[in-house]
Amino acid sequence: MRLSRYFLPVLKETPSEAQIASHRLMLRAGMIKQASAGIYSWLPLGFKVLRKLENIVHEEQIRAGHVPMLMPTLQSAELWKESGRYDAYGPEMLRIRDRQDRDMLYGPTNEEMITDIFRSHVNSYKDLPLTLYHVQWKFRDEIRPRFGVMRGREFFMKDGYNFDLTKEDALHAYNRHLVSYLRTYERMGLQAIPMRADSGPIGGDDTHEFLVLAETGESEVFYDSQITELTFGDREIDYDSVEACQAVMEEFTSRYARTDETHDEAVFAEVPEERRRVARGIEVGQIFYFGTKYSDAMGATVQGPDGKSVPVHMGSHGIGVSRLVGAIIEANHDDRGIIWPEGVTPFHVGIVNLKSGDAEADAACDALYSAFVSKGLEPLLDDTNERAGGKFATMDLIGLPWRITVGPRGLKNGVVEVTSRRTGESEEMSPEAAIEKIVGIYAAL
Amino acid sequence: MRLSRYFLPVLKETPSEAQIASHRLMLRAGMIKQASAGIYSWLPLGFKVLRKLENIVHEEQIRAGHVPMLMPTLQSAELWKESGRYDAYGPEMLRIRDRQDRDMLYGPTNEEMITDIFRSHVNSYKDLPLTLYHVQWKFRDEIRPRFGVMRGREFFMKDGYNFDLTKEDALHAYNRHLVSYLRTYERMGLQAIPMRADSGPIGGDDTHEFLVLAETGESEVFYDSQITELTFGDREIDYDSVEACQAVMEEFTSRYARTDETHDEAVFAEVPEERRRVARGIEVGQIFYFGTKYSDAMGATVQGPDGKSVPVHMGSHGIGVSRLVGAIIEANHDDRGIIWPEGVTPFHVGIVNLKSGDAEADAACDALYSAFVSKGLEPLLDDTNERAGGKFATMDLIGLPWRITVGPRGLKNGVVEVTSRRTGESEEMSPEAAIEKIVGIYAAL
């Protein structure tokens, strides 16, 4: 993309309404614009990141054997009356009446609807196991929306639902989700720690929240510092293997890590003192096993191997996709702006032309631009007439991991400058070497 | 995908509520399930097609130089009061009151919101031309939703908005959209004819609707049969060239082609009688130039080259993405089911194992499956225990363009059978030849 043809309305001033870094930086970098309280338009740069996260979520869910579909945003109140949650949900549910005076609502989650789909079509244990998921806009009418996309009212979420014959099978689905989530967050450049949590209005016994450590997190968390040394890395996993998934689950949940809702001072005291940590975290996902709560209430049964009808065991599993954009920024920024992890950066490399209009500089920039495009990377070329200082400030603000600076002086010596946004270190090299270096970095992801 | 692990709830019975072929077939093929009147869940097969169409739309819009973003589904009533459409829109607008008693609505379109974004961030003609678009769920509270996704209430639409300094520039944007839409529909295997139409509540003078000819179309259309001989084909186009885009526009709109709203019997009579056609069409897109209607009402101005403030010239341009799924089926089906065009098929090839459990047949199917995956294609392997007749009926119903049938008898002779869904013709060949043939067909798209 050439900046002269893009829509990147960066702000010079820090917006006064933004209290946390990610909100400030998303506004300043022209990623979002508030449409109403807690409701945002995703401007081109923001949308690009959101879409990348959505694609990573899809890839990892499909890898785990889960099946994508899409449920609508608006739901009939009927199903929620059946489960008993219509009255229980409270004022965070946005209730709507349509022109025929039917009670509708903007879905905050989809347990009822997916259970209805399941019971309409599945009758036999032979069709299990089954995990269906979607990535769709949700709405929760928060009384005090704030922190930008971190606590918005309209938000983009992946929610998945497993249907299994037995509790054991459902716990395997639980573990499969845990593994797939670890992979998902790591690909986004995040360390998200599974912590024992409270199930809240979804119900159920087994649940873990995934938390990204950040000073601005809404939850107080307590953990054994050993857990931060764990990474899933590039190990292969067979998602069909009960033992393999169970082993990962145990590895990542056997150390103390809890939110304040489930924190137990006595158990925490057993962790060696030098490893006890109290910090704040941002919740970016949650997995639940809730047994037959919804299948009982809504009659979602299958015929088992013995011919008897049994309610299916279910769980639900969510990733907050829009909130993740904020969480990634909370965990990756400095005074000058955002620092995107390579896995989610909106553009792979920024090219700054120090002297737009200079024939040689323009040609060198165009050649770099075309070379990256031909290698399947997306460069952002600042071909505007702004002065160099302004161009650097914009590149730092929007946080592309790599910048190539092209100017007439360097070109005389056959070099351009390659700068890492994270370390700030610069290196001069030939344009060919710069291409090779950056293409290599992304190829290794 | 192995069918035993998928969720494909095909129906044996024809659902009684469905009046047209696409609705019937989408229900029978397990693509959708009604959630409430005019609101559908997209089951896995349906979602796959929907996502493919969305991706084609994105690719062609980006190719035309238009910039993707994403606006929310819910809008504040304030902006609509500013433009005067809040009262004008009527009961099709779903009006919502949130917990703070603010007037909201589920966006049926986004002229107001995009104009607000524009006026908040763009001040100079130097930032023009600019075309922003998104693909997002919309809602129109139809009094009688019907025909499945063809006339639903919650629907998925691409809407784009151009901002230009002059009428001439805006008309170039209009032509650019016309060209990009021709390409988009052809990639989906559709002939969509641009027809002079009425602007309705959007306002403006210049507008074309794109119509797919089909007996079940909601509009009566009148056209010169010569227009059906035109194709955009694989010609290259420079979207920056005013002349090139203008030439395509003239080529595709100079013959008589109008909906009943703008039909003029006297002008139609000038078409030679043997070329006059009266038929029915499904509207799958519309482009508008409406000048300064919204920029005047909402103060969207830029400073021109002479320093004076002028309202921008705008247009809006829509593609009905969810309704296109229905339109493609209306134009591509037979008594046995759907016949997907190769460009949009949910899976590239179906593999039918005539004898699941037979070691040789299973191994041959697995080898074919892996070969297609390694070539970047998505096969659907029916590895269930259903009898052959049922497997064929399902494959015909869901309409994959190519089927490979694998059975012990053929394998003895070293062959499998390759069948075209469209022609019904079958050919025996070695598994290697079958792979080469099908990979070649998709590589040529």
Side-chain angles (χ1 to χ4, degrees):
Chain A
M1 180 56 68
R2 289 165 195 274
L3 191 52
S4 61
R5 298 182 150 229
Y6 203 49
F7 180 61
L8 185 74
V10 298
L11 306 179
K12 297 243 155 44
E13 311 288 314
T14 296
S16 58
E17 75 269 30
Q19 300 168 39
I20 61 171
S22 59
H23 190 192
R24 271 196 303 275
L25 289 171
M26 289 182 76
L27 290 167
R28 284 197 55 213
M31 292 180 66
I32 52 171
K33 179 182 188 307
Q34 182 174 299
S36 346
I39 304 180
Y40 290 87
S41 287
W42 293 75
L43 303 183
L45 193 76
F47 173 64
K48 242 171 131 45
V49 176
L50 187 68
R51 187 86 171 168
K52 283 212 171 182
L53 300 193
E54 182 192 5
N55 285 336
I56 290 173
V57 168
H58 273 301
E59 285 171 20
E60 293 303 329
Q61 287 309 298
I62 289 168
R63 191 193 306 272
H66 306 156
V67 180
M69 59 172 297
L70 189 62
M71 287 175 272
T73 61
L74 295 198
Q75 306 185 17
S76 155
E78 292 308 314
L79 290 174
W80 290 71
K81 289 174 180 166
E82 223 182 305
S83 73
R85 286 207 294 179
Y86 189 65
D87 293 325
Y89 212 93
E92 289 199 354
M93 178 186 281
L94 185 65
R95 291 153 210 259
I96 299 169
R97 189 156 283 183
D98 73 8
R99 72 190 286 185
Q100 312 272 24
D101 259 345
R102 283 174 294 218
D103 283 324
M104 312 282 296
L105 55 97
Y106 200 121
T109 176
N110 286 64
E111 281 80 7
E112 283 79 359
M113 192 177 274
I114 197 76
T115 304
D116 180 54
I117 290 170
F118 179 87
R119 72 179 173 186
S120 305
H121 291 299
V122 181
N123 304 305
S124 164
Y125 76 96
K126 291 179 190 161
D127 293 328
L128 305 183
L130 178 66
T131 295
L132 297 167
Y133 78 93
H134 73 160
V135 189
Q136 178 60 296
W137 291 92
K138 310 281 192 301
F139 201 91
R140 279 185 204 149
D141 203 356
E142 298 263 2
I143 186 85
R144 252 192 314 278
R146 59 204 156 124
F147 302 155
V149 301
M150 296 274 282
R151 200 176 188 126
R153 296 198 292 164
E154 187 169 326
F155 60 100
F156 201 41
M157 186 170 136
K158 173 261 163 177
D159 43 321
Y161 305 88
N162 67 285
F163 302 91
D164 288 279
L165 182 63
T166 64
K167 178 169 181 179
E168 291 66 43
D169 290 350
L171 290 178
H172 173 53
Y174 186 91
N175 294 342
R176 224 169 43 226
H177 278 90
L178 186 139
V179 177
S180 71
Y181 281 25
L182 290 173
R183 281 188 58 103
T184 301
Y185 298 123
E186 284 192 14
R187 281 186 62 185
M188 297 176 181
L190 284 177
Q191 178 169 53
I193 302 170
M195 299 197 180
R196 185 153 290 282
D198 186 57
S199 64
I202 303 270
D205 304 323
D206 286 275
T207 178
H208 282 90
E209 276 185 5
F210 289 78
L211 286 110
V212 173
L213 299 176
E215 282 167 28
T216 48
E218 73 275 54
S219 313
E220 189 166 29
V221 297
F222 305 83
Y223 62 94
D224 178 340
S225 67
Q226 279 193 336
I227 200 156
T228 59
E229 288 153 29
L230 298 174
T231 57
F232 189 80
D234 55 3
R235 48 182 125 164
E236 291 291 325
I237 181 126
D238 174 2
Y239 279 108
D240 289 336
S241 162
V242 171
E243 297 71 28
C245 292
Q246 173 80 16
V248 175
M249 190 277 279
E250 285 173 6
E251 177 185 352
F252 280 82
T253 62
S254 59
R255 289 169 190 79
Y256 193 93
R258 299 196 185 181
T259 62
D260 46 10
E261 292 163 334
T262 55
H263 178 56
D264 182 329
E265 204 50 64
V267 184
F268 193 45
E270 292 167 19
V271 177
E273 191 173 0
E274 70 279 11
R275 291 184 356 220
R276 271 182 243 153
R277 298 285 185 280
V278 181
R280 302 201 70 82
I282 301 168
E283 191 216 322
V284 292
Q286 189 158 6
I287 54 179
F288 296 93
Y289 163 70
F290 47 67
T292 58
K293 171 174 169 164
Y294 295 91
S295 46
D296 279 335
M298 297 179 65
T301 58
V302 292
Q303 209 169 48
D306 57 0
K308 283 191 192 139
S309 185
V310 289
V312 290
H313 286 256
M314 293 175 58
S316 70
H317 314 278
I319 294 181
V321 182
S322 49
R323 117 177 306 231
L324 266 168
V325 181
I328 292 170
I329 296 173
E330 289 296 332
N332 296 278
H333 70 274
D334 62 17
D335 291 346
R336 288 173 296 138
I338 301 164
I339 307 171
W340 292 115
E342 270 97 357
V344 301
T345 182
F347 295 96
H348 297 103
V349 54
I351 305 172
V352 169
N353 188 341
L354 286 179
K355 204 169 176 187
S356 295
D358 176 272
E360 210 188 341
D362 289 355
C365 285
D366 286 345
L368 282 165
Y369 186 89
S370 305
F372 284 118
V373 170
S374 76
K375 303 278 188 188
L377 295 189
E378 284 190 285
L380 178 68
L381 168 58
D382 190 341
D383 57 349
T384 65
N385 290 319
E386 212 189 334
R387 63 190 170 71
K391 290 185 175 182
F392 290 143
T394 296
M395 283 291 175
D396 283 350
L397 175 61
I398 69 171
L400 309 185
W402 297 95
R403 187 185 78 207
I404 302 185
T405 309
V406 179
R409 199 157 35 169
L411 289 174
K412 279 217 177 74
N413 301 320
V415 296
V416 297
E417 190 185 61
V418 176
T419 307
S420 158
R421 173 68 182 84
R422 196 170 288 274
T423 67
E425 281 165 22
S426 292
E427 217 184 330
E428 290 197 332
M429 60 187 80
S430 70
E432 295 70 32
I435 294 163
E436 195 182 345
K437 178 187 173 90
I438 287 165
V439 168
I441 287 164
Y442 287 102
L445 281 189
Chain B
M1 178 57 65
R2 289 164 195 275
L3 191 53
S4 61
R5 297 181 151 230
Y6 203 48
F7 180 61
L8 184 73
V10 299
L11 306 180
K12 296 245 156 42
E13 312 286 314
T14 297
S16 59
E17 75 269 28
Q19 301 166 40
I20 62 171
S22 60
H23 189 191
R24 271 196 303 275
L25 290 171
M26 289 180 76
L27 289 168
R28 286 198 52 214
M31 292 179 65
I32 53 171
K33 179 181 191 304
Q34 182 172 299
S36 350
I39 304 181
Y40 290 87
S41 286
W42 294 75
L43 303 183
L45 194 75
F47 173 64
K48 242 170 130 47
V49 176
L50 188 69
R51 188 85 172 171
K52 281 213 173 180
L53 301 191
E54 183 191 6
N55 284 337
I56 290 174
V57 167
H58 272 301
E59 285 171 21
E60 294 303 328
Q61 288 308 300
I62 289 168
R63 192 193 306 272
H66 306 157
V67 180
M69 59 174 294
L70 189 61
M71 288 174 273
T73 62
L74 295 198
Q75 305 186 16
S76 156
E78 293 306 315
L79 291 173
W80 289 71
K81 290 176 179 164
E82 223 182 303
S83 74
R85 287 209 291 179
Y86 189 65
D87 293 325
Y89 211 93
E92 290 200 354
M93 177 185 279
L94 184 66
R95 291 153 210 261
I96 299 168
R97 190 156 283 181
D98 73 8
R99 73 190 286 186
Q100 312 271 22
D101 258 345
R102 283 172 295 216
D103 284 324
M104 312 283 294
L105 56 97
Y106 200 121
T109 176
N110 287 65
E111 281 80 7
E112 283 78 0
M113 191 176 273
I114 197 76
T115 305
D116 180 54
I117 289 169
F118 180 87
R119 73 180 172 185
S120 305
H121 291 300
V122 181
N123 304 306
S124 163
Y125 76 99
K126 292 179 189 162
D127 293 327
L128 306 184
L130 178 65
T131 295
L132 297 167
Y133 78 93
H134 72 160
V135 189
Q136 178 61 294
W137 290 92
K138 311 281 192 298
F139 202 90
R140 280 184 205 148
D141 202 355
E142 298 263 2
I143 185 85
R144 252 191 314 278
R146 59 202 156 128
F147 302 156
V149 301
M150 296 275 280
R151 198 173 189 127
R153 295 198 293 165
E154 187 168 326
F155 60 99
F156 201 42
M157 186 170 136
K158 172 261 165 180
D159 43 321
Y161 305 88
N162 67 285
F163 300 91
D164 288 280
L165 182 62
T166 65
K167 178 171 181 177
E168 291 68 43
D169 290 350
L171 290 177
H172 174 54
Y174 186 90
N175 295 341
R176 223 168 44 224
H177 280 89
L178 186 141
V179 177
S180 71
Y181 281 26
L182 291 173
R183 281 187 61 103
T184 301
Y185 297 123
E186 284 192 13
R187 281 187 62 186
M188 297 176 183
L190 283 177
Q191 179 170 52
I193 303 170
M195 300 196 180
R196 184 154 289 284
D198 186 57
S199 63
I202 303 270
D205 303 323
D206 287 274
T207 178
H208 282 89
E209 275 184 8
F210 288 78
L211 286 111
V212 173
L213 299 176
E215 282 167 28
T216 47
E218 73 276 54
S219 313
E220 189 166 30
V221 298
F222 305 83
Y223 63 95
D224 178 341
S225 67
Q226 279 195 337
I227 201 156
T228 59
E229 290 153 28
L230 297 173
T231 56
F232 189 80
D234 56 2
R235 47 182 126 165
E236 290 291 324
I237 181 126
D238 175 2
Y239 279 107
D240 289 337
S241 163
V242 171
E243 297 71 28
C245 292
Q246 174 79 15
V248 174
M249 190 277 278
E250 285 172 7
E251 178 186 352
F252 280 80
T253 63
S254 59
R255 289 168 191 79
Y256 192 94
R258 299 195 187 181
T259 62
D260 46 9
E261 291 163 335
T262 57
H263 178 55
D264 183 329
E265 206 47 65
V267 184
F268 193 44
E270 291 167 20
V271 177
E273 193 174 355
E274 70 279 10
R275 289 179 6 215
R276 272 181 241 153
R277 296 286 185 282
V278 182
R280 301 202 70 83
I282 301 168
E283 192 213 323
V284 293
Q286 188 158 8
I287 54 177
F288 296 94
Y289 163 68
F290 47 65
T292 58
K293 172 176 168 163
Y294 296 90
S295 46
D296 279 336
M298 298 180 63
T301 58
V302 293
Q303 208 170 49
D306 58 0
K308 283 189 190 141
S309 184
V310 289
V312 289
H313 286 255
M314 292 175 60
S316 70
H317 314 276
I319 293 181
V321 181
S322 48
R323 116 176 307 231
L324 267 168
V325 181
I328 291 170
I329 295 173
E330 288 297 331
N332 297 278
H333 70 274
D334 62 16
D335 290 348
R336 288 175 295 138
I338 303 165
I339 307 171
W340 291 114
E342 269 98 357
V344 301
T345 183
F347 294 96
H348 297 103
V349 55
I351 305 172
V352 170
N353 188 343
L354 287 180
K355 204 168 176 186
S356 294
D358 175 272
E360 210 188 341
D362 289 355
C365 286
D366 285 346
L368 281 166
Y369 186 89
S370 304
F372 284 119
V373 170
S374 76
K375 302 279 186 186
L377 294 189
E378 284 190 285
L380 178 68
L381 168 58
D382 190 340
D383 57 348
T384 65
N385 291 320
E386 213 187 335
R387 64 190 168 72
K391 288 186 177 182
F392 290 143
T394 296
M395 282 292 176
D396 283 351
L397 175 60
I398 69 171
L400 309 185
W402 298 95
R403 188 186 79 208
I404 302 183
T405 309
V406 179
R409 197 155 38 166
L411 288 175
K412 281 219 174 71
N413 301 320
V415 295
V416 296
E417 190 184 59
V418 176
T419 306
S420 159
R421 174 68 182 85
R422 196 172 287 277
T423 67
E425 282 164 21
S426 290
E427 221 184 328
E428 291 197 332
M429 62 186 82
S430 70
E432 295 69 32
I435 295 163
E436 195 182 344
K437 179 188 171 93
I438 287 165
V439 168
I441 286 163
Y442 287 101
L445 282 189

